[in-house]
Amino acid sequence: MPATTPPPSRGKRAPANRPAKPIAPARAPRRARGRPGPDAPDLRPRLLDSALACYAANGIAATSLRDIARHAEVTPALLHYYFGDRAQLLDAVVDERVLPATAPLRESLQRVDDDIAALVAAFVNGMAAVIARHPWLPPLWVREVVSEGGALRGLLTERVAPPIAQLMATRFAAAQQRGELNPDLDPRLLMVSLIGLTLFPAAGAPIWRRLFDADDLGVDDLRRHALALLDRGLELPDA
């Protein structure tokens, strides 16, 4: 009987050499909305300046985070990232913009001795320098301090004004006792008058410039006018 050839093996075929699937790169963690990238510049100073500009122009109560974001050309989410909410943003503006703006004036007054004329000149010159450096201060002062219900009135009466006002009034009273200042003047109201000759005219500049066609007058003109007026107004009758 002839030998039979065994049937071919039906085992599994060897797999063909297929190219390996490329491994997808790991995705970077998704950045939270509003959070700046790792290489982004610190926008905090810019956001504070935008908030201050909006507060001075429109009032604090009328300014929303969206208004500030639009002025700064960012998203409201970015404001939330840096400051949290409106209240915390206002606190930051006060601590990082408003209080530092008035600090040089207080420091310059503390360096003056008992010379009353030098003290008055230091206040007028110092206030003029503050206004020139921070033009947002006069309109903000009118909106948020002078106006009833202003958001910064408590700040003025509790943190800004007392060191300056008490120093000035005490020095004026001492000068009266030494016979160097008109006794008919009230030291407390004299401080009010100084504000009326410096900060108030700067705040009302849009009005009186239009009324008198006085666009040529600036902060330095106000400063020199106040000094000239005070130089004569503080003289004693027999001086």
Side-chain angles (χ1 to χ4, degrees):
M1 186 172 182
T4 57
T5 303
S9 173
R10 295 175 178 260
K12 295 182 179 179
R13 294 181 180 180
N17 292 330
R18 297 179 180 176
K21 293 183 178 180
I23 301 175
R27 292 185 178 181
R30 187 174 182 180
R31 192 170 76 244
R33 184 182 180 187
R35 184 183 296 272
D39 299 327
D42 183 11
L43 297 178
R44 185 182 181 89
R46 173 178 160 190
L47 299 178
L48 289 173
D49 290 340
S50 289
L52 199 48
C54 292
Y55 292 160
N58 306 316
I60 293 174
T63 298
S64 66
L65 288 180
R66 188 172 296 278
D67 295 328
I68 298 169
R70 187 181 303 111
H71 185 279
E73 298 181 340
V74 300
T75 64
L78 192 66
L79 284 170
H80 282 289
Y81 168 74
Y82 274 99
F83 302 104
D85 56 25
R86 292 178 74 249
Q88 293 180 70
L89 173 57
L90 177 58
D91 289 341
V93 169
V94 168
D95 291 336
E96 299 178 38
R97 290 293 184 270
V98 178
L99 293 178
T102 59
L105 174 61
R106 181 179 65 254
E107 294 166 0
S108 67
L109 295 175
Q110 292 172 340
R111 292 193 295 266
V112 179
D113 57 18
D114 290 336
D115 185 340
I116 199 65
L119 180 65
V120 170
F123 180 87
V124 174
N125 291 329
M127 182 61 77
V130 169
I131 294 170
R133 194 177 301 116
H134 307 289
W136 47 262
L137 181 60
L140 188 70
W141 175 73
V142 170
R143 284 183 176 275
E144 304 300 339
V145 176
V146 177
S147 299
E148 190 66 33
L152 300 181
R153 180 174 290 190
L155 171 72
L156 176 81
T157 58
E158 296 171 9
R159 300 176 64 182
V160 177
I164 296 175
Q166 293 170 8
L167 181 149
M168 298 288 287
T170 300
R171 295 278 187 89
F172 290 149
Q176 281 182 326
Q177 293 178 356
R178 296 192 303 268
E180 299 172 0
L181 185 64
N182 190 332
D184 293 332
L185 296 173
D186 188 301
R188 298 161 297 180
L189 294 180
L190 183 52
M191 181 61 207
V192 177
S193 298
L194 288 175
I195 293 293
L197 288 171
T198 53
L199 193 54
F200 188 78
I207 299 173
W208 56 258
R209 281 181 179 144
R210 182 175 181 180
L211 181 63
F212 297 111
D213 191 20
D215 288 337
D216 57 312
L217 297 180
V219 175
D220 195 57
D221 297 292
L222 290 174
R223 179 189 66 82
R224 290 187 284 105
H225 171 79
L227 288 174
L229 182 62
L230 290 166
D231 184 52
R232 297 294 177 263
L234 297 181
E235 287 183 350
L236 293 171
D238 56 352

